[in-house]
């Protein structure tokens, strides 16, 4: 069985030792706006005229903006489990960056207990497995109250 | 803009929506010939052709303008092929209108047609992590219905909307669609049937979400001068505005297919959100306002999204769409019928044809030729839609 955890795609997030996630984004040296993913090497704020971005780690907590619970299997390139496992998707507003970032809901999250405004945090969980590796992705989990 | 600068809709044509399993160009040609016949204009008289592209039908779909020109029989005229996702049809209409208003064409043909794949739309093939559309499917399984569900849930949490409200939209639109010969689904849904429909992306059920369809729509547009020279002008209607706006930075409302919004740090958030800005631009251009509308065609990708549109086009204040719906105002016979055509609920989406189909419906309503789904004394109609990757689309049609 595979035990080595590797991000499903490089350059999007990093896993901390405690299993929490840090999103890898860009921050404009001029206006301070953040971008995720970085996508391009420059700021998209029109007044910044293409100012460069610093590579930064974004906040790993925020407030729930909305959520959905998928009950139908999506098309490729979603790495499909067989049989299909339903999954939630959350949109969370990062407080410091004032931007909404999507992620799947951590496994075991009961969407019936969620409501907009709840504090959420980023964790790393498996997305799919190959023979050698566990391919991981960032997910949103209701923040620990402690 | 004054009425002298309006372009005139001489004719409309559609191929019925469905899953017909034929090549998109065949549908497009049927719609185009119907529009030409309706306009009583010969294909050889057309001096510009503007088309909406389709992404899932190979190269001919990327050059739809020349595909249709070749299929109708080359005439040597210039063509354009536009892609703006669901807003492609509006961009094609605008290309034709601008050509006419600039004096470089007198009469133009606009066509959009699609052959849709089965099931959910997926991204184009290949592994492309730099493409937001590929990313959202691969890393998140965020399908189009996922986004629709996020918007719907947001509405429920903010305004207390319920599944019953969404079902009421479906009941209304499905009832309207029964009277439309071009609609794919001509069946009225009951609340019980809707409640039995499987959940696709909670809170939305299969019947809340629009299907993907084959279909085609076409219009013939002409300059006011050209139209004035025709002997029978009784069926002419005018295009008073076309809006094809994009968002203003920072766009802080989650927009398909992005996995994150812009950040509101470091700049002022625009006064109007992107969806609000779409109809706003058309109102500004035409001088009309929401109070002037006789009817509207809004992009009900989901039942819940129709409610958002009521607010985005100014029919009511945010949070009041449910009251407006339940008052009967947006049902045929009400003050401002919405989706008298049956909407996407009855059609399913044929992407490059859809914005043109909305204009066909408005033109039919303004002409008073909509039969059992006719809006009484229709004078001004508005269509609105939004294509992914930041494409707004809004057209105002008047008598
Ligand atoms: Zn900047």
């Amino acid at each position: 069985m595979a035990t080595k955890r590797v991000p499903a795609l490089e350059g999007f997030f990093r896993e901390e030792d405690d299993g929490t996630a840090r999103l890898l984004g860009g921050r404009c040296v001029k206006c301070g706006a953040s971008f995720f993913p970085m996508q391009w090497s420059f700021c998209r704020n029109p007044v910044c005229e293409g100012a460069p971005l610093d590579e930064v780690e974004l906040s790993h907590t925020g407030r729930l903006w909305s959520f959905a619970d998928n009950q139908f299997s999506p098309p490729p390139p979603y790495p499909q489990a067989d049989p299909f496992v339903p999954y939630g998707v959350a949109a969370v507003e990062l407080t410091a960056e004032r931007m909404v970032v999507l992620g799947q809901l951590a496994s075991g999250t009961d969407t019936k207990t969620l409501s907009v405004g709840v504090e959420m945090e980023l964790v790393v969980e498996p997305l799919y497995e190959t023979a050698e590796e566990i391919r991981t992705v960032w997910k949103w989990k209701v923040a620990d109250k402690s | 803009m004054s009425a002298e600068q309006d372009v005139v809709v001489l004719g409309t044509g559609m191929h019925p929506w469905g899953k017909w399993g034929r090549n998109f160009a065949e549908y497009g040609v049927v719609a185009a010939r119907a529009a030409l016949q309706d306009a009583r204009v010969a294909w050889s008289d057309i001096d510009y052709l503007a088309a909406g592209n389709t992404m899932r039908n190979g190269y001919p779909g990327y050059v739809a303008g020349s595909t249709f020109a070749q299929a109708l029989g080359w005439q040597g005229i210039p063509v354009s092929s536009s892609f703006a996702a669901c807003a492609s049809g509006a961009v094609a209409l605008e290309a034709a209108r601008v050509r006419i208003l600039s004096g470089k064409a007198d009469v133009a043909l606009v066509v959009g047609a699609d052959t849709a794949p089965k099931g959910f739309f997926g991204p184009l093939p290949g592994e492309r992590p730099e493409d937001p559309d590929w990313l959202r499917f691969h890393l998140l399984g965020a399908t189009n219905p996922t986004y629709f569900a996020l918007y719907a849930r947001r509405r429920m949490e903010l305004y207390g909307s319920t599944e019953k409200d969404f079902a009421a939209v479906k009941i209304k639109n499905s009832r309207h669609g029964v009277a439309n010969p071009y609609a794919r689904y001509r069946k009225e849904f009951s609340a019980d049937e809707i409640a039995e429909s499987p959940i696709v992306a909670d809170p939305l059920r299969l019947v809340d979400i629009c299907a993907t369809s084959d279909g085609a729509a076409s219009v013939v547009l002409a300059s006011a001068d050209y139209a004035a020279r025709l002997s029978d002008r009784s069926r002419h209607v005018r295009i008073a505005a076309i809006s094809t706006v994009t968002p203003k930075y920072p766009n802080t409302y989650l927009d398909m297919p992005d996995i994150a919004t812009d950040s509101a740090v470091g700049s002022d958030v625009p006064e109007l959100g992107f969806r609000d800005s779409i109809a706003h631009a058309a109102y500004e251009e035409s001088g009309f306002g929401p109070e002037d509308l006789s009817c509207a065609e809004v992009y009900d990708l989901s039942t819940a999204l129709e409610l958002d549109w009521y607010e985005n086009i100014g029919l009511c204040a945010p949070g009041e769409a449910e009251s407006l719906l339940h008052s009967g105002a947006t049902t045929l016979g009400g003050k401002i019928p919405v989706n008298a055509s049956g909407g996407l609920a009855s059609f399913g989406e044929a992407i490059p044809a859809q914005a043109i189909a909305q204009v066909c419906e408005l033109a039919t309503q303004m002409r008073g030729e909509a039969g059992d789904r006719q809006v009484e004394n229709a004078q001004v109609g508005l269509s609105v839609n939004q294509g992914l990757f930041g494409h707004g689309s809004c057209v105002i049609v008047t008598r």
Side-chain angles (χ1 to χ4, degrees), chain B residues 27-273:
Chain B
Y27 312 138
V29 165
V30 168
R33 290 200 193 285
L36 289 165
Q37 192 172 29
D38 187 46
R40 294 181 204 159
V41 169
W43 162 233
S44 55
D45 290 335
I46 294 288
D47 43 27
Y48 186 67
L49 187 156
N53 289 350
T54 165
M55 286 294 115
R56 292 174 175 84
N57 291 278
Y59 216 127
Y62 304 147
V63 292
S66 75
T67 299
F68 296 134
Q70 184 188 33
L72 289 161
W74 291 121
Q75 292 278 7
I77 58 169
V79 300
S80 70
S81 305
S82 302
F83 189 71
C86 304
S88 300
V91 175
L93 284 163
E94 180 65 332
R97 184 176 76 136
V98 168
R99 188 93 182 177
I100 289 166
L101 292 178
S102 74
K104 297 197 85 173
D106 291 321
V107 57
L109 181 67
V110 183
V111 194
D114 207 3
T115 302
K118 219 172 164 286
F120 287 148
F121 280 124
L124 295 174
E127 187 172 328
R128 295 185 320 282
E130 75 290 350
D131 174 355
D133 197 42
W134 185 88
L135 266 185
R136 54 128 172 178
F137 279 101
H138 179 64
L139 288 181
L140 309 176
T143 60
N144 294 5
T146 307
Y147 284 78
F148 308 154
L150 290 168
Y151 303 143
R153 176 61 66 183
R154 177 86 182 158
R155 198 169 173 87
M156 294 168 91
E157 294 271 320
L158 255 53
Y159 304 134
S161 318
T162 66
E163 286 190 29
K164 285 208 169 97
D165 297 324
F166 303 157
V169 174
K170 179 71 178 189
I171 292 168
K172 170 184 75 74
N173 287 348
S174 69
R175 188 179 297 156
H176 290 172
V178 170
N180 193 336
Y182 297 111
R184 174 174 171 190
Y185 306 104
R186 299 180 64 187
K187 168 192 170 341
E188 188 174 335
F189 275 81
S190 70
D192 288 345
E193 284 172 286
I194 294 167
E196 282 164 21
S197 171
I199 299 277
V200 171
D202 183 83
L204 298 177
R205 297 174 185 279
L206 190 58
V207 295
D208 285 309
I209 294 162
C210 94
T212 63
S213 294
D214 299 358
S218 177
V219 299
V220 176
L221 296 183
S223 66
D225 285 349
Y226 184 97
R229 291 198 297 271
L230 299 174
S231 54
D232 179 6
R233 298 184 291 276
S234 61
R235 296 171 71 244
H236 291 181
V237 297
R238 297 180 294 115
I239 291 193
I242 298 178
S243 154
T244 56
V245 295
T246 53
K248 284 187 175 168
Y249 181 89
N251 184 10
T252 55
Y253 195 85
L254 182 68
D255 202 4
M256 210 159 70
D258 294 329
I259 62 174
T261 66
D262 289 337
S263 157
V265 169
S267 50
D268 295 327
V269 174
E271 202 175 315
L272 286 180

Side-chain angles (χ1 to χ4, degrees), chain A residues 59-135:
Chain A
S59 311
H60 65 290
T61 58
R63 303 250 169 217
L64 189 59
W65 186 86
S66 192
F67 53 97
D69 197 5
N70 289 278
Q71 300 289 333
F72 268 55
S73 79
Y78 185 68
Q80 193 66 263
D82 188 20
F84 168 70
V85 182
Y87 57 95
V89 171
V92 174
E93 183 167 17
L94 307 183
T95 313
E97 288 83 357
R98 297 176 64 196
M99 63 193 288
V100 171
V101 176
L102 283 185
Q104 283 195 358
L105 280 162
S107 55
T109 307
D110 179 4
T111 52
K112 303 240 173 337
T113 66
L114 296 178
S115 59
V116 160
V118 163
E119 173 113 17
M120 306 290 285
E121 68 176 336
L122 280 171
V123 294
V124 176
E125 284 194 1
L127 179 65
Y128 65 100
E129 284 185 26
T130 66
E132 300 84 32
E133 293 168 338
I134 300 167
R135 298 283 171 85

Side-chain angles (χ1 to χ4, degrees), chain B residues 243-333:
Chain B
S243 154
T244 56
V245 295
T246 53
K248 284 187 175 168
Y249 181 89
N251 184 10
T252 55
Y253 195 85
L254 182 68
D255 202 4
M256 210 159 70
D258 294 329
I259 62 174
T261 66
D262 289 337
S263 157
V265 169
S267 50
D268 295 327
V269 174
E271 202 175 315
L272 286 180
F274 176 44
R275 275 199 213 139
D276 290 339
S277 74
I278 298 171
H280 180 80
Y283 288 139
E284 290 274 290
E285 185 190 352
S286 65
F288 292 114
E291 65 285 355
D292 298 313
L293 301 181
S294 316
C295 59
E297 290 287 313
V298 308
Y299 220 54
D300 56 324
L301 289 164
S302 82
T303 49
L305 206 58
E306 172 162 322
L307 298 171
D308 286 346
W309 282 123
Y310 291 1
E311 298 161 7
N312 296 134
I313 67 172
L315 298 185
C316 62
E320 290 177 4
E322 288 76 8
S323 315
L324 188 70
L325 171 72
H326 295 305
S327 77
T330 60
T331 306
L332 267 172

Side-chain angles (χ1 to χ4, degrees), chain A residues 28 30-33 43 45 48 51:
Chain A
C28 176
K30 212 162 156 184
C31 74
C43 180
N45 183 344
C48 291

